[in-house]
Amino acid sequence: MSLTFQDASARVDAYISQFKEGYFPPLLMLARLTEEVGEIARVIAHENGKTPKPGEDAGDLEMELADLMFVMLCMANERGLNLERGFERMMSKIERRDADRWTRKDTEGQDA
C-alpha cells in the first residue's frame, strides 16, 4: 500500500466532514497533539526500561505515531495547509543545512 500525504489528508477530511462539529478548534487540536506526543513518550519509556503501572498496557508505538499523524493532518486540513509541500520544504532545508553535520556511513564494499 502506498499512501501520499494528499491521500491521507483527503481521507481524514472525508471522515471529519461527515460530522456537524467538524474539526476541533485550534487550541483543542494543540492539546490533542500534546496528548499524543505524551503517549508516544510513554511507549518509548516502556520499551526502554520503565515498567508499566499495574494494569497499564505497554502500548503500541506504531498506533501512537499514527494517532499523532491523524491529529497533524486534522490541524493542517483545518488551516488549509499542504503537508506534502511542507514536508518537501522541510527536507530541502535540512538536506542543505545538515549536509556535512553528521558522519556519513562508508558505503565502499557494501551493497546499495
Side-chain angles (χ1 to χ4, degrees):
M1 177 176 99
S2 181
L3 182 70
T4 67
F5 284 109
Q6 186 176 2
D7 295 337
S9 179
R11 187 168 176 185
V12 167
D13 194 57
Y15 176 75
I16 296 294
S17 294
Q18 66 184 328
F19 304 108
K20 290 180 182 180
E21 294 82 1
Y23 290 102
F24 289 142
L27 289 177
L28 184 52
M29 273 197 273
L30 181 59
R32 291 273 325 274
L33 197 70
T34 304
E35 175 189 8
E36 296 304 341
V37 170
E39 291 175 8
I40 290 166
R42 180 181 50 80
V43 172
I44 299 249
H46 290 163
E47 289 179 350
N48 290 278
K50 181 184 175 286
T51 306
K53 296 174 187 170
E56 182 182 32
D57 184 7
D60 179 339
L61 184 57
E62 185 175 70
M63 282 295 293
E64 297 303 343
L65 288 168
D67 286 347
L68 179 65
M69 187 166 56
F70 176 82
V71 178
M72 289 185 338
L73 287 162
C74 285
M75 188 175 275
N77 286 349
E78 190 271 336
R79 295 287 170 138
L81 303 175
N82 179 326
L83 283 183
E84 199 153 352
R85 181 180 58 227
F87 181 79
E88 288 297 332
R89 291 173 52 213
M90 181 274 307
M91 285 302 299
S92 289
K93 176 186 76 174
I94 66 167
E95 287 167 346
R96 278 191 317 275
R97 182 190 68 199
D98 298 339
D100 298 318
R101 183 175 181 181
W102 312 108
T103 305
R104 295 201 181 267
K105 292 181 179 179
D106 180 14
T107 57
E108 189 175 317
Q110 295 180 0
D111 292 336

